[in-house]
Amino acid sequence: MQYLPIFTKLDDKPVLVIGGGEVALRKSQAFLKARAKVTVIAPEFCAELEALAKQQKLTLQRAYFQPEQVLGYMLIIAATDNDTVNTQVFEAAEQHNIFVNVVDDQPKCRFIFPSIVDRDPITIAISSAGTAPVLARRLREKLETLIPQHIGALAKLVGSFRKQVKQRFTSFDDRRQFWERVFDSNVVSTVQKGNIEQASDELTTMLDDNLPPQGEVYVVGAGPGDPELLTLKALQLMQQADVVVYDYLVSDEIMELVRRDAELICVGKRAGDHSVPQERTNELLVELAQQGKKVCRIKGGDPFIYGRGGEEVQVLASHGVSYQIVPGITAAAGCSAYAGIPLTHRDHAQAIQFVTGHCKKDGQELDWPSLAKPNQTLAIYMGVIKSPHIQSQLLAHGRSATTPVAIVENGTRKDQRVITGQLAQLSELIETHAIQSPALLIIGEVASLHQQLAWFGKTTQTSSFAQPLTDVA
Ligand SMILES: C[S@@+](CC[C@H](N)C(=O)[O-])C[C@H]1O[C@@H](n2cnc3c(N)ncnc32)[C@H](O)[C@@H]1O
């Protein structure tokens, strides 16, 4: 190990920065964050350093560096653009066994500044010992996405209970087991929901009653398929869950990201093929939560847009099961973006309607007169099978036969296909190109912008929007 990772408490301790430019400023700010007593020596200073001195946050000494100036400091940074001066600083510090860092000169660093993930009081430091700082920064970015923001608040809360827990459990093992139960309990998700007071009450109850952990259901939207469209919260809850209840719409790449040892339960749904009836899925979620499990109910797109998330949450609420709801990128947003089709556009569409082609068996007809109005975009979910009906009803209610349409199959996924044409061709296009589920229909003038803005996946264009078909409406 080239560097021993230690965290130093610099409260009011003297540190020295040599240099008056931007780098010196950044290093001084880092020291100030740790409440160190900062002195900066240079013949001249940038405006920001002057401002900090005016606010009495640090001391400036207008002078050329002299080796004896290093005496009395715990840490020293050389941040000048003059190698000779930097070397003098390094040698003077070494002579007096003072920790020194010469910026961008790793052999002259007795200490280094690691990349930091800051969830105060939790701090994670990453270092490549100066060999690959960009790689260290990349790793930090990865960790940033994985470590939830609420972890700092959680650490503060449990920190405030340490004394009480020590009094309540005298043996180390009992204390450890208690904390394990806390971190498996709803206290974590209550902090996550931002309710620190309630989390504190729950912790107090756990301390008094020593209750077993309660289950919880996370109703999570996984987006249309590209795993990089998952939200951070979705990813965190997927990795926190004991059980993951999923359906076919969730892409394989996304399922790869769930906790390795989580139990996976498929309740797959495809149009006309409900392998597990919805009522059974609802019961299953309640049963698993009542067994004390953390359940991730993961759904394609957004759980509240044609995802039956509303029904599931109603059942959870009626059984008093705790839950969280995480929105996802719905197919209309994902497919349109990846197809280069803005859903609204000042020149083409002032409104958008999300429509399902797959109503309840006893469902009402859609409001065709409203859907057939011009200057709006229709994003039709589950519309492949009913496309002949959709096409004929829109035409019958006055939407122009030349209205541009786009069919986006496997939107946002590696095998995305976009077929464009005109409304009068819709069902024919679906048949000719053997469109498979999942596919989204986008109907409206905006679909013609695909030609101009496409950037992802394969495109088949079957008619030029500039040369309309005969209007058969
Ligand atoms: C049961 S709905 C679920 C919608 C989902 N909750 C959402 O917000 O996107 C399923 C329909 O969404 C659309 N869909 C979902 N993911 C899609 C994708 N990656 N590409 C195209 N259409 C998709 C298709 O119309 C599919 O039949």
Side-chain angles (χ1 to χ4, degrees):
M1 199 192 303
Q2 291 186 41
Y3 290 88
L4 175 72
I6 54 171
F7 289 84
T8 53
K9 194 166 173 64
L10 286 180
D11 275 20
D12 277 330
K13 290 290 175 192
V15 300
L16 179 62
V17 179
I18 312 291
E22 251 199 46
V23 182
L25 171 69
R26 268 192 279 116
K27 300 298 175 189
S28 302
Q29 286 168 329
F31 280 145
L32 287 176
K33 237 178 150 186
R35 296 187 288 266
K37 211 162 118 194
V38 184
T39 301
V40 189
I41 297 180
E44 47 194 44
F45 302 101
C46 63
E48 290 90 341
L49 279 170
E50 299 270 13
L52 287 171
K54 244 186 215 148
Q55 295 161 26
Q56 298 190 328
K57 295 205 166 139
L58 46 71
T59 307
L60 300 184
Q61 282 183 22
R62 212 169 290 275
Y64 288 98
F65 173 72
Q66 300 297 327
E68 60 274 14
Q69 287 166 330
V70 301
L71 289 172
Y73 292 100
M74 281 182 69
L75 299 175
I76 300 180
I77 303 251
T80 79
D81 50 11
N82 183 324
D83 282 347
T84 315
V85 175
N86 285 347
T87 306
Q88 282 172 0
V89 176
F90 175 71
E91 283 168 359
E94 284 282 276
Q95 198 186 344
H96 297 285
N97 283 328
I98 301 169
F99 277 102
V100 61
N101 173 301
V102 177
V103 175
D104 278 344
D105 192 352
Q106 197 246 336
K108 295 196 185 79
C109 288
R110 279 285 168 192
F111 73 95
I112 49 179
F113 286 88
S115 285
I116 283 176
V117 180
D118 184 0
R119 299 283 188 278
D120 187 51
I122 302 286
T123 312
I124 301 169
I126 305 145
S127 146
S128 64
T131 55
V134 175
L135 186 61
R137 200 202 67 220
R138 288 280 180 106
L139 273 174
R140 181 185 70 84
E141 284 165 7
K142 282 222 154 76
L143 289 175
E144 283 282 4
T145 63
L146 292 176
I147 315 259
Q149 289 294 336
H150 72 270
I151 218 80
L154 182 64
K156 275 188 194 136
L157 176 71
V158 302
S160 68
F161 273 77
R162 277 179 72 90
K163 214 164 148 195
Q164 282 162 269
V165 172
K166 217 168 180 175
Q167 280 163 358
R168 167 84 169 74
F169 301 105
T170 44
S171 98
F172 174 80
D173 266 356
D174 287 351
R175 282 202 297 277
R176 189 185 52 74
Q177 278 173 19
F178 173 76
W179 286 123
E180 296 281 1
R181 282 199 300 279
V182 168
F183 294 123
D184 279 338
S185 77
N186 282 3
V187 169
V188 177
S189 67
T190 308
V191 172
Q192 202 162 22
K193 290 175 195 164
N195 200 337
I196 307 295
E197 227 171 273
Q198 188 188 329
S200 173
D201 291 346
E202 285 172 7
L203 234 169
T204 308
T205 311
M206 280 185 80
L207 199 54
D208 294 345
D209 302 347
N210 213 0
L211 289 174
Q214 301 291 300
E216 185 171 27
V217 178
Y218 316 130
V219 181
V220 170
D226 180 349
E228 293 190 349
L229 293 180
L230 275 174
T231 61
L232 294 184
K233 195 160 208 169
L235 187 59
Q236 283 155 8
L237 293 178
M238 283 160 68
Q239 300 200 338
Q240 208 164 294
D242 304 310
V243 188
V244 178
V245 179
Y246 68 102
D247 48 46
Y248 292 125
L249 207 50
V250 180
S251 70
D252 294 345
E253 285 101 325
I254 287 175
M255 289 306 293
E256 284 290 311
L257 298 174
V258 303
R259 202 173 106 186
R260 287 268 163 251
D261 52 350
E263 182 188 348
L264 302 183
I265 302 177
C266 180
V267 289
K269 284 192 192 69
R270 285 191 179 121
D273 159 33
H274 284 216
S275 54
V276 178
Q278 183 63 47
E279 294 66 28
R280 179 61 204 130
T281 302
N282 301 346
E283 285 165 14
L284 179 69
L285 296 177
V286 172
E287 283 165 19
L288 290 167
Q290 285 174 343
Q291 289 162 22
K293 298 198 171 139
K294 306 283 174 219
V295 185
C296 179
R297 170 63 175 120
I298 189 162
K299 291 166 172 290
D302 180 89
F304 280 3
I305 297 181
Y306 304 127
R308 306 196 72 170
E311 289 154 71
E312 291 174 12
V313 173
Q314 278 177 310
V315 173
L316 296 172
S318 71
H319 284 79
V321 171
S322 173
Y323 57 84
Q324 296 188 45
I325 303 162
V326 182
I329 291 184
T330 191
C335 296
S336 63
Y338 276 53
I341 299 174
L343 290 177
T344 65
H345 188 290
R346 276 168 73 96
D347 300 333
H348 304 292
Q350 284 68 50
I352 155 130
Q353 295 205 48
F354 289 1
V355 184
T356 172
H358 178 76
C359 295
K360 268 179 153 181
K361 284 197 183 70
D362 56 350
Q364 310 126 329
E365 257 300 317
L366 293 167
D367 182 359
W368 295 111
S370 152
L371 295 174
K373 285 190 180 136
N375 301 321
Q376 63 167 334
T377 307
L378 306 181
I380 305 186
Y381 292 70
M382 297 169 279
V384 169
I385 293 171
K386 291 276 178 68
S387 63
H389 184 62
I390 293 167
Q391 175 182 332
S392 66
Q393 287 297 319
L394 288 175
L395 293 175
H397 287 83
R399 192 100 199 217
S400 165
T402 60
T403 306
V405 297
I407 303 149
V408 185
E409 181 192 71
N410 289 317
T412 81
R413 304 177 185 202
K414 285 189 203 110
D415 48 356
Q416 168 176 298
R417 270 203 303 168
V418 182
I419 318 289
T420 58
Q422 300 184 354
L423 179 57
Q425 305 169 298
L426 178 66
S427 57
E428 183 197 320
L429 292 178
I430 287 175
E431 208 182 314
T432 316
H433 294 276
I435 296 294
Q436 301 291 315
S437 185
L440 184 91
L441 315 183
I442 302 177
I443 301 179
E445 286 65 25
V446 289
S448 67
L449 294 173
H450 169 73
Q451 278 172 299
Q452 203 185 329
L453 306 180
W455 61 277
F456 181 84
K458 275 193 224 145
T459 292
T460 307
Q461 187 197 321
T462 54
S463 64
S464 160
F465 297 116
Q467 294 162 359
L469 300 174
T470 315
D471 198 330
V472 294

Tab-separated table of all heavy atoms in Angstrom, residues 223-226 249 269 271 299-308 328-335 354-356 358 380-384 408-413 416 436-441, ligand 1:
chain	number	residue	atom	x	y	z
A	223	GLY	N	-38.612	2.091	-16.231
A	223	GLY	CA	-38.397	2.737	-17.528
A	223	GLY	C	-38.617	1.758	-18.666
A	223	GLY	O	-38.923	0.581	-18.457
A	224	PRO	N	-38.407	2.204	-19.898
A	224	PRO	CA	-38.774	1.394	-21.059
A	224	PRO	C	-37.785	0.292	-21.429
A	224	PRO	O	-38.094	-0.532	-22.274
A	224	PRO	CB	-38.873	2.421	-22.188
A	224	PRO	CG	-38.132	3.620	-21.724
A	224	PRO	CD	-38.053	3.599	-20.244
A	225	GLY	N	-36.608	0.280	-20.862
A	225	GLY	CA	-35.718	-0.846	-21.178
A	225	GLY	C	-34.243	-0.540	-21.059
A	225	GLY	O	-33.480	-1.349	-20.541
A	226	ASP	N	-33.806	0.633	-21.526
A	226	ASP	CA	-32.386	0.975	-21.405
A	226	ASP	C	-32.067	1.107	-19.911
A	226	ASP	O	-32.650	1.949	-19.222
A	226	ASP	CB	-32.126	2.310	-22.134
A	226	ASP	CG	-30.661	2.736	-22.039
A	226	ASP	OD1	-29.902	2.133	-21.259
A	226	ASP	OD2	-30.283	3.693	-22.744
A	249	LEU	N	-42.158	-7.022	-19.085
A	249	LEU	CA	-41.797	-5.745	-19.685
A	249	LEU	C	-40.438	-5.224	-19.166
A	249	LEU	O	-39.808	-4.384	-19.787
A	249	LEU	CB	-42.907	-4.730	-19.385
A	249	LEU	CG	-43.104	-3.587	-20.371
A	249	LEU	CD1	-43.196	-4.083	-21.803
A	249	LEU	CD2	-44.352	-2.805	-19.993
A	269	LYS	N	-46.754	-10.523	-17.502
A	269	LYS	CA	-48.004	-10.145	-18.181
A	269	LYS	C	-47.676	-9.831	-19.623
A	269	LYS	O	-46.756	-9.116	-19.932
A	269	LYS	CB	-48.575	-8.874	-17.553
A	269	LYS	CG	-49.227	-9.071	-16.236
A	269	LYS	CD	-50.004	-7.810	-15.886
A	269	LYS	CE	-50.444	-7.819	-14.450
A	269	LYS	NZ	-49.330	-7.682	-13.535
A	271	ALA	N	-50.164	-9.007	-23.345
A	271	ALA	CA	-51.556	-8.804	-23.737
A	271	ALA	C	-52.207	-10.163	-23.949
A	271	ALA	O	-51.686	-11.011	-24.666
A	271	ALA	CB	-51.616	-7.973	-25.011
A	299	LYS	N	-41.700	-2.608	-12.330
A	299	LYS	CA	-42.593	-2.578	-13.493
A	299	LYS	C	-41.932	-1.818	-14.628
A	299	LYS	O	-41.178	-0.887	-14.385
A	299	LYS	CB	-43.870	-1.819	-13.129
A	299	LYS	CG	-44.742	-2.553	-12.151
A	299	LYS	CD	-45.789	-1.619	-11.596
A	299	LYS	CE	-46.776	-2.408	-10.781
A	299	LYS	NZ	-47.620	-3.264	-11.621
A	300	GLY	N	-42.305	-2.173	-15.863
A	300	GLY	CA	-41.798	-1.423	-17.015
A	300	GLY	C	-42.364	-0.016	-17.004
A	300	GLY	O	-43.482	0.217	-16.530
A	301	GLY	N	-41.587	0.936	-17.505
A	301	GLY	CA	-42.072	2.316	-17.617
A	301	GLY	C	-42.332	2.931	-16.261
A	301	GLY	O	-41.525	2.812	-15.346
A	302	ASP	N	-43.491	3.563	-16.139
A	302	ASP	CA	-43.891	4.183	-14.879
A	302	ASP	C	-45.000	3.336	-14.262
A	302	ASP	O	-45.905	2.905	-14.982
A	302	ASP	CB	-44.406	5.606	-15.164
A	302	ASP	CG	-44.820	6.290	-13.886
A	302	ASP	OD1	-43.966	6.937	-13.260
A	302	ASP	OD2	-45.998	6.139	-13.482
A	303	PRO	N	-44.944	3.106	-12.951
A	303	PRO	CA	-45.950	2.204	-12.363
A	303	PRO	C	-47.379	2.748	-12.424
A	303	PRO	O	-48.324	1.972	-12.393
A	303	PRO	CB	-45.500	2.054	-10.902
A	303	PRO	CG	-44.401	3.010	-10.675
A	303	PRO	CD	-43.930	3.549	-11.987
A	304	PHE	N	-47.501	4.082	-12.529
A	304	PHE	CA	-48.839	4.672	-12.498
A	304	PHE	C	-49.358	5.013	-13.890
A	304	PHE	O	-50.365	5.686	-14.027
A	304	PHE	CB	-48.835	5.936	-11.625
A	304	PHE	CG	-48.914	5.645	-10.143
A	304	PHE	CD1	-48.918	4.354	-9.662
A	304	PHE	CD2	-49.002	6.682	-9.216
A	304	PHE	CE1	-48.991	4.080	-8.299
A	304	PHE	CE2	-49.089	6.423	-7.859
A	304	PHE	CZ	-49.074	5.117	-7.386
A	305	ILE	N	-48.627	4.610	-14.927
A	305	ILE	CA	-49.147	4.843	-16.283
A	305	ILE	C	-49.343	3.473	-16.931
A	305	ILE	O	-48.372	2.781	-17.270
A	305	ILE	CB	-48.195	5.737	-17.105
A	305	ILE	CG1	-48.113	7.115	-16.431
A	305	ILE	CG2	-48.696	5.869	-18.553
A	305	ILE	CD1	-47.243	8.119	-17.121
A	306	TYR	N	-50.586	3.065	-17.031
A	306	TYR	CA	-50.961	1.757	-17.570
A	306	TYR	C	-50.119	0.644	-16.950
A	306	TYR	O	-49.732	-0.302	-17.639
A	306	TYR	CB	-50.834	1.733	-19.104
A	306	TYR	CG	-51.651	2.814	-19.755
A	306	TYR	CD1	-51.087	3.708	-20.654
A	306	TYR	CD2	-53.004	2.966	-19.436
A	306	TYR	CE1	-51.847	4.715	-21.232
A	306	TYR	CE2	-53.763	3.973	-20.010
A	306	TYR	CZ	-53.179	4.845	-20.895
A	306	TYR	OH	-53.926	5.840	-21.452
A	307	GLY	N	-49.803	0.780	-15.667
A	307	GLY	CA	-48.943	-0.211	-15.027
A	307	GLY	C	-49.656	-0.940	-13.896
A	307	GLY	O	-49.061	-1.800	-13.250
A	308	ARG	N	-50.878	-0.610	-13.622
A	308	ARG	CA	-51.693	-1.191	-12.556
A	308	ARG	C	-51.062	-0.973	-11.179
A	308	ARG	O	-51.400	-1.657	-10.217
A	308	ARG	CB	-51.984	-2.678	-12.841
A	308	ARG	CG	-52.595	-2.818	-14.237
A	308	ARG	CD	-53.262	-4.112	-14.493
A	308	ARG	NE	-54.523	-4.267	-13.796
A	308	ARG	CZ	-55.372	-5.251	-14.025
A	308	ARG	NH1	-55.095	-6.151	-14.954
A	308	ARG	NH2	-56.481	-5.365	-13.339
A	328	GLY	N	-41.017	6.018	-12.985
A	328	GLY	CA	-40.055	5.614	-14.013
A	328	GLY	C	-40.333	6.397	-15.283
A	328	GLY	O	-41.381	7.047	-15.397
A	329	ILE	N	-39.428	6.314	-16.229
A	329	ILE	CA	-39.663	6.985	-17.516
A	329	ILE	C	-40.688	6.158	-18.280
A	329	ILE	O	-40.468	4.966	-18.539
A	329	ILE	CB	-38.348	7.109	-18.306
A	329	ILE	CG1	-37.446	8.102	-17.579
A	329	ILE	CG2	-38.616	7.546	-19.748
A	329	ILE	CD1	-36.153	8.403	-18.266
A	330	THR	N	-41.806	6.772	-18.574
A	330	THR	CA	-42.864	6.030	-19.251
A	330	THR	C	-42.503	5.819	-20.721
A	330	THR	O	-41.692	6.562	-21.290
A	330	THR	CB	-44.206	6.767	-19.094
A	330	THR	OG1	-45.241	5.904	-19.536
A	330	THR	CG2	-44.253	8.075	-19.863
A	331	ALA	N	-43.110	4.783	-21.339
A	331	ALA	CA	-42.747	4.428	-22.721
A	331	ALA	C	-42.885	5.617	-23.660
A	331	ALA	O	-42.036	5.824	-24.533
A	331	ALA	CB	-43.624	3.271	-23.196
A	332	ALA	N	-43.924	6.434	-23.482
A	332	ALA	CA	-44.123	7.558	-24.412
A	332	ALA	C	-42.919	8.499	-24.368
A	332	ALA	O	-42.424	8.938	-25.411
A	332	ALA	CB	-45.396	8.314	-24.065
A	333	ALA	N	-42.421	8.785	-23.151
A	333	ALA	CA	-41.282	9.703	-23.025
A	333	ALA	C	-40.011	9.037	-23.566
A	333	ALA	O	-39.236	9.652	-24.306
A	333	ALA	CB	-41.108	10.112	-21.571
A	334	GLY	N	-39.793	7.763	-23.180
A	334	GLY	CA	-38.562	7.077	-23.586
A	334	GLY	C	-38.527	6.837	-25.091
A	334	GLY	O	-37.538	7.154	-25.767
A	335	CYS	N	-39.623	6.282	-25.631
A	335	CYS	CA	-39.636	5.930	-27.066
A	335	CYS	C	-39.535	7.176	-27.922
A	335	CYS	O	-38.837	7.195	-28.930
A	335	CYS	CB	-40.922	5.185	-27.424
A	335	CYS	SG	-41.069	3.602	-26.603
A	354	PHE	N	-52.184	10.406	-23.709
A	354	PHE	CA	-51.730	9.025	-23.533
A	354	PHE	C	-52.988	8.160	-23.603
A	354	PHE	O	-53.963	8.420	-22.898
A	354	PHE	CB	-51.077	8.829	-22.159
A	354	PHE	CG	-49.730	9.493	-22.002
A	354	PHE	CD1	-49.161	10.231	-23.026
A	354	PHE	CD2	-49.024	9.352	-20.816
A	354	PHE	CE1	-47.918	10.837	-22.874
A	354	PHE	CE2	-47.778	9.952	-20.656
A	354	PHE	CZ	-47.224	10.693	-21.676
A	355	VAL	N	-52.943	7.155	-24.445
A	355	VAL	CA	-54.155	6.364	-24.703
A	355	VAL	C	-53.789	4.890	-24.618
A	355	VAL	O	-52.674	4.512	-24.986
A	355	VAL	CB	-54.675	6.655	-26.136
A	355	VAL	CG1	-55.971	5.927	-26.407
A	355	VAL	CG2	-54.832	8.150	-26.367
A	356	THR	N	-54.711	4.060	-24.134
A	356	THR	CA	-54.476	2.621	-24.199
A	356	THR	C	-55.364	2.005	-25.273
A	356	THR	O	-56.536	2.362	-25.400
A	356	THR	CB	-54.741	1.911	-22.850
A	356	THR	OG1	-54.658	0.497	-23.070
A	356	THR	CG2	-56.097	2.235	-22.261
A	358	HIS	N	-55.931	-1.105	-25.146
A	358	HIS	CA	-56.353	-2.360	-24.525
A	358	HIS	C	-57.200	-2.018	-23.307
A	358	HIS	O	-56.682	-1.881	-22.197
A	358	HIS	CB	-55.086	-3.121	-24.121
A	358	HIS	CG	-55.324	-4.409	-23.422
A	358	HIS	ND1	-55.728	-5.538	-24.083
A	358	HIS	CD2	-55.212	-4.755	-22.118
A	358	HIS	CE1	-55.847	-6.526	-23.202
A	358	HIS	NE2	-55.540	-6.072	-22.015
A	380	ILE	N	-50.033	5.927	-28.103
A	380	ILE	CA	-50.962	4.808	-27.850
A	380	ILE	C	-50.191	3.592	-27.350
A	380	ILE	O	-49.332	3.038	-28.047
A	380	ILE	CB	-51.781	4.478	-29.108
A	380	ILE	CG1	-52.481	5.770	-29.581
A	380	ILE	CG2	-52.789	3.374	-28.814
A	380	ILE	CD1	-53.446	5.607	-30.717
A	381	TYR	N	-50.503	3.216	-26.112
A	381	TYR	CA	-49.897	2.051	-25.479
A	381	TYR	C	-50.762	0.834	-25.841
A	381	TYR	O	-51.993	0.951	-25.945
A	381	TYR	CB	-49.900	2.205	-23.953
A	381	TYR	CG	-48.999	3.285	-23.402
A	381	TYR	CD1	-49.279	4.634	-23.596
A	381	TYR	CD2	-47.873	2.953	-22.645
A	381	TYR	CE1	-48.459	5.626	-23.069
A	381	TYR	CE2	-47.046	3.933	-22.106
A	381	TYR	CZ	-47.343	5.259	-22.327
A	381	TYR	OH	-46.532	6.237	-21.800
A	382	MET	N	-50.132	-0.325	-25.941
A	382	MET	CA	-50.845	-1.585	-26.181
A	382	MET	C	-51.800	-1.449	-27.371
A	382	MET	O	-52.925	-1.956	-27.331
A	382	MET	CB	-51.631	-1.994	-24.922
A	382	MET	CG	-50.717	-2.267	-23.737
A	382	MET	SD	-51.598	-2.434	-22.186
A	382	MET	CE	-51.859	-0.737	-21.722
A	383	GLY	N	-51.331	-0.780	-28.417
A	383	GLY	CA	-52.234	-0.493	-29.527
A	383	GLY	C	-52.013	-1.387	-30.740
A	383	GLY	O	-52.718	-1.241	-31.740
A	384	VAL	N	-51.052	-2.320	-30.668
A	384	VAL	CA	-50.702	-3.094	-31.867
A	384	VAL	C	-51.883	-3.938	-32.339
A	384	VAL	O	-52.301	-3.855	-33.497
A	384	VAL	CB	-49.453	-3.958	-31.588
A	384	VAL	CG1	-49.220	-4.959	-32.707
A	384	VAL	CG2	-48.237	-3.058	-31.428
A	408	VAL	N	-42.946	2.544	-32.648
A	408	VAL	CA	-41.632	2.341	-32.019
A	408	VAL	C	-41.670	0.993	-31.289
A	408	VAL	O	-42.388	0.815	-30.309
A	408	VAL	CB	-41.305	3.471	-31.013
A	408	VAL	CG1	-39.888	3.304	-30.479
A	408	VAL	CG2	-41.483	4.837	-31.663
A	409	GLU	N	-40.919	0.064	-31.819
A	409	GLU	CA	-40.865	-1.285	-31.233
A	409	GLU	C	-39.601	-1.387	-30.386
A	409	GLU	O	-38.536	-0.931	-30.811
A	409	GLU	CB	-40.830	-2.308	-32.370
A	409	GLU	CG	-40.798	-3.752	-31.919
A	409	GLU	CD	-40.473	-4.675	-33.090
A	409	GLU	OE1	-39.315	-4.655	-33.553
A	409	GLU	OE2	-41.362	-5.394	-33.541
A	410	ASN	N	-39.715	-1.976	-29.195
A	410	ASN	CA	-38.565	-2.124	-28.284
A	410	ASN	C	-37.844	-0.798	-28.055
A	410	ASN	O	-36.602	-0.720	-28.117
A	410	ASN	CB	-37.562	-3.154	-28.827
A	410	ASN	CG	-38.108	-4.541	-28.727
A	410	ASN	OD1	-38.706	-4.906	-27.705
A	410	ASN	ND2	-37.972	-5.323	-29.780
A	411	GLY	N	-38.635	0.232	-27.827
A	411	GLY	CA	-38.073	1.568	-27.670
A	411	GLY	C	-36.996	1.621	-26.596
A	411	GLY	O	-37.115	0.991	-25.548
A	412	THR	N	-35.920	2.346	-26.877
A	412	THR	CA	-34.753	2.592	-26.008
A	412	THR	C	-33.854	1.357	-25.844
A	412	THR	O	-32.839	1.422	-25.174
A	412	THR	CB	-35.105	3.126	-24.589
A	412	THR	OG1	-35.479	2.041	-23.751
A	412	THR	CG2	-36.168	4.196	-24.601
A	413	ARG	N	-34.254	0.227	-26.419
A	413	ARG	CA	-33.430	-0.991	-26.270
A	413	ARG	C	-32.521	-1.137	-27.484
A	413	ARG	O	-32.741	-0.505	-28.509
A	413	ARG	CB	-34.337	-2.215	-26.142
A	413	ARG	CG	-35.309	-2.042	-24.998
A	413	ARG	CD	-36.267	-3.194	-24.880
A	413	ARG	NE	-37.241	-2.875	-23.835
A	413	ARG	CZ	-37.944	-3.746	-23.174
A	413	ARG	NH1	-37.827	-5.025	-23.425
A	413	ARG	NH2	-38.799	-3.370	-22.249
A	416	GLN	N	-34.188	-1.533	-30.862
A	416	GLN	CA	-35.281	-0.592	-31.193
A	416	GLN	C	-35.463	-0.502	-32.718
A	416	GLN	O	-34.490	-0.447	-33.466
A	416	GLN	CB	-34.953	0.804	-30.643
A	416	GLN	CG	-35.880	1.887	-31.175
A	416	GLN	CD	-35.629	3.256	-30.555
A	416	GLN	OE1	-35.771	3.422	-29.364
A	416	GLN	NE2	-35.275	4.237	-31.371
A	436	GLN	N	-43.718	-6.546	-33.085
A	436	GLN	CA	-43.869	-7.357	-31.871
A	436	GLN	C	-43.999	-6.437	-30.661
A	436	GLN	O	-43.526	-5.303	-30.683
A	436	GLN	CB	-42.623	-8.226	-31.663
A	436	GLN	CG	-42.313	-9.182	-32.793
A	436	GLN	CD	-43.344	-10.291	-32.896
A	436	GLN	OE1	-43.729	-10.873	-31.886
A	436	GLN	NE2	-43.833	-10.533	-34.108
A	437	SER	N	-44.561	-6.969	-29.606
A	437	SER	CA	-44.676	-6.225	-28.351
A	437	SER	C	-43.296	-6.197	-27.664
A	437	SER	O	-42.553	-7.179	-27.790
A	437	SER	CB	-45.686	-6.931	-27.467
A	437	SER	OG	-45.892	-6.190	-26.316
A	438	PRO	N	-42.926	-5.138	-26.957
A	438	PRO	CA	-43.691	-3.926	-26.744
A	438	PRO	C	-43.489	-2.917	-27.879
A	438	PRO	O	-42.381	-2.785	-28.386
A	438	PRO	CB	-43.092	-3.375	-25.444
A	438	PRO	CG	-41.655	-3.798	-25.477
A	438	PRO	CD	-41.630	-5.106	-26.197
A	439	ALA	N	-44.583	-2.301	-28.252
A	439	ALA	CA	-44.493	-1.265	-29.283
A	439	ALA	C	-45.452	-0.140	-28.934
A	439	ALA	O	-46.539	-0.377	-28.402
A	439	ALA	CB	-44.827	-1.848	-30.643
A	440	LEU	N	-45.022	1.060	-29.236
A	440	LEU	CA	-45.817	2.253	-28.941
A	440	LEU	C	-46.165	2.935	-30.264
A	440	LEU	O	-45.318	3.027	-31.148
A	440	LEU	CB	-44.991	3.203	-28.074
A	440	LEU	CG	-45.733	4.438	-27.606
A	440	LEU	CD1	-46.405	4.168	-26.252
A	440	LEU	CD2	-44.806	5.636	-27.481
A	441	LEU	N	-47.400	3.385	-30.384
A	441	LEU	CA	-47.809	4.101	-31.591
A	441	LEU	C	-47.804	5.595	-31.289
A	441	LEU	O	-48.370	6.019	-30.276
A	441	LEU	CB	-49.226	3.687	-32.015
A	441	LEU	CG	-49.547	2.182	-32.011
A	441	LEU	CD1	-50.963	1.940	-32.529
A	441	LEU	CD2	-48.524	1.415	-32.852
B	1	LIG	C1	-48.925	-2.514	-19.744
B	1	LIG	S1	-48.312	-1.121	-20.587
B	1	LIG	C2	-47.162	-0.565	-19.452
B	1	LIG	C3	-46.767	0.830	-19.664
B	1	LIG	C4	-45.692	1.269	-18.687
B	1	LIG	N1	-46.192	1.289	-17.347
B	1	LIG	C5	-45.105	2.645	-19.051
B	1	LIG	O1	-45.286	3.610	-18.299
B	1	LIG	O2	-44.449	2.713	-20.087
B	1	LIG	C6	-47.343	-1.903	-21.836
B	1	LIG	C7	-47.227	-1.079	-23.105
B	1	LIG	O3	-46.318	-0.018	-22.948
B	1	LIG	C8	-45.663	0.226	-24.172
B	1	LIG	N2	-44.221	-0.005	-23.955
B	1	LIG	C9	-43.605	-0.270	-22.801
B	1	LIG	N3	-42.276	-0.364	-22.973
B	1	LIG	C10	-42.053	-0.140	-24.281
B	1	LIG	C11	-40.887	-0.115	-25.090
B	1	LIG	N4	-39.667	-0.314	-24.570
B	1	LIG	N5	-41.029	0.149	-26.401
B	1	LIG	C12	-42.237	0.379	-26.929
B	1	LIG	N6	-43.372	0.353	-26.223
B	1	LIG	C13	-43.289	0.102	-24.913
B	1	LIG	C14	-46.216	-0.759	-25.190
B	1	LIG	O4	-47.278	-0.135	-25.842
B	1	LIG	C15	-46.696	-1.859	-24.276
B	1	LIG	O5	-47.694	-2.632	-24.898
